Amino acid sequence: MNLTDRVAVITGGAGGIGSALARRFVAEGAAAVVLADRDAAAVTAVADGIGPVVRGVAVDVTDEGQVRELVADTERRYGRIDLFCANAGVATGAGVEADDLDWDRSWRVNVLSHVYAARAVLPAMLARGEGYLLNTCSAAGVLTAVGDAPYTATKHAAVGLAEWLAITYRDRGVRVSALCPQGVDTPMLADGLTAGHLGARVIAASGAVLTPDQVADAVIAGLAEERFLILPHPEVAGYALRRAEDPDGWQAGLRKLVRRLRAGAGQSTPPPPPPAASP
Ligand SMILES: NC(=O)c1ccc[n+]([C@@H]2O[C@H](COP(=O)([O-])OP(=O)(O)OC[C@H]3O[C@@H](n4cnc5c(N)ncnc54)[C@H](O)[C@@H]3O)[C@@H](O)[C@H]2O)c1
């Protein structure tokens, strides 16, 4: 798919990756881009800043009624949705001790919202025999997110759901991609680094931290090829292969990295490069 004359919806649209996707879709000639975020003021400001092709709307993606209305309103205004980007996401920086509210919020935002989006857009896409779902998952969904148990579990579930959707609907014209970046310079990562979360420090030590615009470049290329797995950090494919071939060795490499980071905390010299990456 290319974006020329396309109608796209992007959730988490006030955030780093969502707003970069919107800017890039407009530059590629999209007919309309609807940005949805629970932060009404921020999403309106982002949309207004990009231009008249973009519309910002307040939507909580964990509320199925609001997702249905987002889809129905977009279809009423523009006639169809060519591409739905389920991009809103949350991290916790916590382990299994995260309270049930954080586990529940992670499940609802990172997974259930993708279910709600699919339920809402599939009927019209299947009727037209055409459509595209881009689900922002994470490298955490094919590897692990050290220091964030709810994020790891729910991003794995998000990749599993995207794969299920791809297998189930591809032959009926609906294409699906799972966007799986490692570190990206957005408020999500910056907040984790500021809070000193181990997971954010592992990400920063595990490879390049990309700009949201670089992620948008990878998305445009991935959509053009209609590739299932979109990996803005191509090395993630190698890590996933290593994890599959030698899970114990891969885990040992990550544990070593964590030990080095912990030992290096408070020292001025950075830790040596990691033997294996983690998102
Ligand atoms: N930044 C990274 O390093 C990184 C790496 C891999 C994957 N991701 C994923 O990329 C996606 C975008 O994250 P980002 O890095 O741009 O972070 P971000 O924090 O800048 O953006 C996330 C956006 O999601 C919105 N959001 C959260 N809960 C919502 C809800 N219930 N309803 C509607 N909107 C909601 C937030 O308001 C925010 O604007 C997320 O799914 C994230 O998990 C990020």
Side-chain angles (χ1 to χ4, degrees), residues 15 27 30 39 43 57 72 101 106 113 158 173 175 189 191 195 210 232 263 276:
D39 186 336
V43 79
V57 291
L101 280 178
S106 301
S113 75
R175 292 139 294 167
L189 180 57
D191 292 350
L210 300 184

Side-chain angles (χ1 to χ4, degrees), residues 11-20 36-40 42-43 57-63 66 86-91 105 108-110 113-114 135-140 151 155 179-191 203 209-210 212 215 233 279:
T11 70
I17 293 173
S19 56
D37 202 286
R38 68 173 172 185
D39 186 336
V43 79
V57 291
V59 174
D60 179 347
V61 296
T62 66
D63 180 329
Q66 293 188 34
N87 171 74
V90 290
R105 193 171 58 105
R108 288 178 169 278
V109 179
N110 295 345
S113 75
H114 295 193
N135 290 358
T136 304
C137 304
S138 170
Y151 195 77
K155 290 296 186 177
L179 172 61
C180 295
Q182 200 164 237
V184 188
D185 186 11
T186 70
M188 179 178 282
L189 180 57
D191 292 350
I203 292 167
V209 173
L210 300 184
V215 174
H233 301 75

Side-chain angles (χ1 to χ4, degrees), residues 42-222:
V43 79
T44 305
V46 169
D48 292 349
I50 299 174
V53 170
V54 185
R55 198 165 163 271
V57 291
V59 174
D60 179 347
V61 296
T62 66
D63 180 329
E64 184 166 20
Q66 293 188 34
V67 175
R68 278 188 196 284
E69 181 48 32
L70 166 68
V71 168
D73 182 62
T74 305
E75 289 173 347
R76 267 194 306 270
R77 284 171 189 269
Y78 307 109
R80 69 192 187 280
I81 295 172
D82 296 302
L83 170 65
F84 192 103
C85 307
N87 171 74
V90 290
T92 71
V96 288
E97 74 284 358
D99 64 29
D100 284 0
L101 280 178
D102 275 337
W103 276 98
D104 189 54
R105 193 171 58 105
S106 301
W107 166 250
R108 288 178 169 278
V109 179
N110 295 345
V111 186
L112 210 47
S113 75
H114 295 193
V115 176
Y116 295 159
R119 279 183 191 155
V121 296
L122 277 171
M125 287 183 177
L126 291 172
R128 289 202 321 274
E130 198 206 16
Y132 210 123
L133 305 176
L134 174 74
N135 290 358
T136 304
C137 304
S138 170
V142 290
L143 300 170
T144 203
V146 172
D148 199 327
Y151 195 77
T152 299
T154 57
K155 290 296 186 177
H156 271 258
V159 172
L161 174 67
E163 190 172 77
W164 186 90
L165 289 165
I167 291 167
T168 305
Y169 294 109
R170 180 64 184 88
D171 289 343
R172 296 171 68 186
V174 178
R175 292 139 294 167
V176 181
S177 291
L179 172 61
C180 295
Q182 200 164 237
V184 188
D185 186 11
T186 70
M188 179 178 282
L189 180 57
D191 292 350
L193 286 171
T194 304
H197 288 155
L198 174 66
R201 290 168 51 222
V202 170
I203 292 167
S206 290
V209 173
L210 300 184
T211 65
D213 288 337
Q214 288 174 304
V215 174
D217 288 343
V219 166
I220 293 299

